Amino acid sequence: WIEGTSSPSFTDCLIENNVVVQMGNEGGWSIHVPDRSRGSEDLAMNNVTIRNNSLFFGPAARSRGIGMGGEGTGHVVVNNAVSYAGTQNSYCLDLDLPPSSYGAVDNNICHQKGSGSYSWAPGMNLASWRNATGFDMNSSSSDPGFVDPVAHDLFPAANSVMIDAGHANLSSAYDHDGVLRDATPDIGAFEFQP
């Protein structure tokens, strides 16, 4: 779990190339910033980037994907791949600040694989999310095409929609394994190697 990675006393935080596989029935978030209220001694949280993470929730999972908000400006949420195979009602993104507080939210994949109701954001599918925020215009609700998520292999399969679909300027420079990303980077934690 990445929830609770730090106190909210930071700016310019980078959360990238994480692989999260949840097969149990725990609830909560996989990635959530901030993870608690800011204390009087803490700095304001600005310029948090959450990018190139791969998340898979198995049939018993009750988790939500990525939460980023509460305060600050300049936040970026790009190139993340989330697949939900659960049977509970859940959602992929929760970005609770006004759209002007985010520098970019795009090139994400949020896919419903199970029988539960899995929305893009609370109460919204991808189309209504785009209309309400202007975000995720280059994003998809397609199956990301992980090789074998049940076996914890979130590498992109050869026909994966993640390949070459990442944001060219806001992607991580290297992937989860330290492989240099190319000029057309992939969504998710791994850069496909043919």
Side-chain angles (χ1 to χ4, degrees):
W1 292 83
I2 298 171
E3 184 173 5
T5 55
S6 178
S7 74
S9 175
F10 54 79
T11 58
D12 304 317
C13 177
L14 179 61
I15 300 169
E16 67 180 17
N17 294 328
N18 292 286
V19 177
V20 177
V21 176
Q22 183 189 341
M23 299 304 288
N25 66 357
E26 298 85 5
W29 289 96
S30 285
I31 298 174
H32 192 262
V33 180
D35 68 341
R36 68 198 80 165
S37 298
R38 178 161 55 99
S40 59
E41 71 284 359
D42 293 329
L43 299 173
M45 183 181 69
N46 292 302
N47 304 317
V48 174
T49 297
I50 301 173
R51 67 185 181 189
N52 290 101
N53 299 286
S54 293
L55 314 175
F56 175 77
F57 305 104
R62 296 182 292 118
S63 271
R64 297 178 295 267
I66 297 170
M68 169 66 255
E71 69 174 18
T73 61
H75 306 308
V76 173
V77 181
V78 297
N79 296 353
N80 300 288
V82 182
S83 184
Y84 184 76
T87 59
Q88 305 293 319
N89 296 337
S90 193
Y91 48 92
C92 181
L93 297 177
D94 188 11
L95 310 180
D96 63 4
L97 293 168
S100 60
S101 297
Y102 298 91
V105 179
D106 208 356
N107 301 83
N108 296 297
I109 295 174
C110 293
H111 177 252
Q112 164 65 33
K113 194 176 189 81
S115 60
S117 174
Y118 195 66
S119 55
W120 193 275
M124 293 187 221
N125 62 20
L126 178 55
S128 59
W129 173 249
R130 285 173 172 163
N131 289 337
T133 64
F135 295 152
D136 285 305
M137 294 301 176
N138 297 295
S139 296
S140 171
S141 57
S142 299
D143 188 328
F146 296 131
V147 168
D148 189 352
V150 174
H152 301 186
D153 185 349
L154 302 191
F155 197 82
N159 61 347
S160 170
V161 298
M162 297 185 291
I163 298 171
D164 297 338
H167 194 292
N169 300 321
L170 297 176
S171 180
S172 60
Y174 294 88
D175 79 355
H176 179 80
D177 291 335
V179 173
L180 182 66
R181 293 189 186 270
D182 59 31
T184 53
D186 298 345
I187 291 174
F190 299 100
E191 187 76 0
F192 179 73
Q193 301 297 305

